[in-house]
Amino acid sequence: MSDVRCLWEAAAILGEGPLWSAREGALYWVDIKAPALHRYRPDDGDKTSWVMPERIGWVIERANGEGLVAGFKQRGFAFLTPGTMMPETIGQPEPDYPDNRFNDAKADAEGRIWAGTMDDNEREATGSLYRLDADLDWHRMDKGYGITNGPAFSPEGGTLYHTDTAAGTIYAFDLTARGRLENKRVFVTIPEGDGYPDGMTCDAEGYLWVAHWGGWRITRFAPDGRVDRVVEMPVSQVTSCTFGGPDLDRLYITSAAIGLDEERLERQPLAGGLFEFIPGVKGLPAGLFAG
């Protein structure tokens, strides 16, 4: 087993969406189906949680310092008020798909949010990838996903990675300065038996770190799609990862306990926990929403 350390035995139903806040020196993450928002401060080990009014997929910091933006199932895009974390609705991009919810999102270097939706029942490929601009207008940029995950951005910002977990496939796009997606192509397809690609993040060297749902691992892929490194995990349902810490040299990893019976939980008692790994490379700062 690699040197992976559990920071919080949270037993999250569906832990996801880790976000490093440089201004708070803290890691935010969500339990989509609890539903809850969590915050962990590595300096003093403080753990804080907020109960959410509905399923929440992700949070992103605002560049103006006034709280967070979040993705909810019913509300869609929403601001979270600092302190209370009460939602203020921005808008629901999919009123015609009541069974859909947001699952994962990131902000790019230009302050735009890229957020994916999915069928919460995991039956239909009704998921789409949206771009939320600073003026609070949103645009559907791609569609036809079973389970959306990611996205992640290359260090120079010219490549966007996005995943259809249900298809076991990570796609790469050319991302233009004006926020258009071009040249969609398969980056990697995860082999059967290695789990499914889930959340991911790029490091400063342009390598992509991918969590494997059902695969007991995180894989570091080179920019050409070659497997560079595999990090073994003590839990099977590894959901996402992000770099954090003052020097962005720690990899924070979320996981899930959903669907595990008593026998499987005995094999992996830390399922649903928050983990830390020192990878020997640094990450990229989290994008901030310009709106």
Side-chain angles (χ1 to χ4, degrees):
M1 183 65 62
S2 58
D3 190 19
V4 175
R5 181 168 70 104
C6 186
L7 301 173
W8 188 344
E9 296 181 24
I13 301 170
L14 186 53
E16 263 285 8
L19 169 77
W20 176 254
S21 168
R23 62 188 174 216
E24 293 188 38
L27 183 89
Y28 284 96
W29 59 295
V30 301
D31 185 341
I32 294 176
K33 296 195 175 185
L37 172 64
H38 302 302
R39 185 184 65 195
Y40 172 77
R41 285 203 310 248
D43 280 355
D44 58 8
D46 178 73
K47 303 177 181 71
T48 304
S49 299
W50 295 267
V51 175
M52 291 287 107
E54 59 182 274
R55 292 186 176 185
I56 178 173
W58 47 266
V59 293
I60 290 171
E61 286 189 298
R62 300 179 67 185
N64 63 11
E66 297 181 3
L68 305 167
V69 187
F72 287 96
K73 181 175 180 180
Q74 281 84 34
R75 288 173 173 82
F77 295 110
F79 292 122
L80 290 180
T81 305
T84 65
M85 296 300 181
M86 293 298 295
E88 174 190 344
T89 301
I90 297 170
Q92 170 57 265
E94 296 187 334
D96 297 333
Y97 292 93
D99 289 334
N100 274 17
R101 65 167 172 81
F102 277 116
N103 193 55
D104 209 349
K106 298 271 175 43
D108 65 21
E110 302 301 320
R112 301 169 296 220
I113 289 178
W114 297 82
T117 61
M118 61 171 282
D119 176 10
D120 199 22
N121 299 313
E122 300 182 22
R123 295 172 183 163
E124 305 292 334
T126 55
S128 294
L129 176 62
Y130 290 89
R131 190 191 75 212
L132 179 67
D133 296 334
D135 61 5
L136 305 186
D137 280 345
W138 56 79
H139 309 269
R140 180 183 276 126
M141 306 302 294
D142 199 19
K143 62 182 181 179
Y145 290 84
I147 301 174
T148 54
N149 264 300
F153 307 96
S154 59
E156 81 288 348
T159 301
L160 179 145
Y161 299 98
H162 194 235
T163 292
D164 189 339
T165 299
T169 302
I170 302 172
Y171 298 98
F173 300 80
D174 294 337
L175 175 59
T176 72
R178 295 190 175 185
R180 307 302 301 178
L181 295 181
E182 299 175 350
N183 188 27
K184 181 180 181 180
R185 57 206 181 268
V186 172
F187 175 65
V188 294
T189 299
I190 302 301
E192 187 175 351
D194 288 352
Y196 297 85
D198 209 304
M200 55 190 175
T201 189
C202 263
D203 63 31
E205 297 177 359
Y207 286 63
L208 189 67
W209 295 75
V210 179
H212 290 238
W213 177 275
W216 298 84
R217 75 191 67 183
I218 286 178
T219 300
R220 185 190 194 221
F221 291 97
D224 62 3
R226 172 180 48 85
V227 173
D228 173 78
R229 185 177 182 186
V230 173
V231 178
E232 296 180 0
M233 292 289 297
V235 294
S236 63
Q237 297 177 162
V238 191
T239 56
S240 193
C241 56
T242 196
F243 285 89
D247 298 320
L248 296 175
D249 59 352
R250 307 175 189 179
L251 193 67
Y252 292 105
I253 304 161
T254 53
S255 66
I258 190 170
L260 298 177
D261 58 26
E262 184 176 343
E263 180 181 350
R264 287 187 289 174
L265 283 172
E266 286 181 359
R267 291 179 56 208
Q268 43 182 311
L270 298 177
L274 174 68
F275 300 87
E276 178 190 71
F277 174 67
I278 309 300
V281 295
K282 295 186 178 183
L284 302 167
L288 305 174
F289 179 50

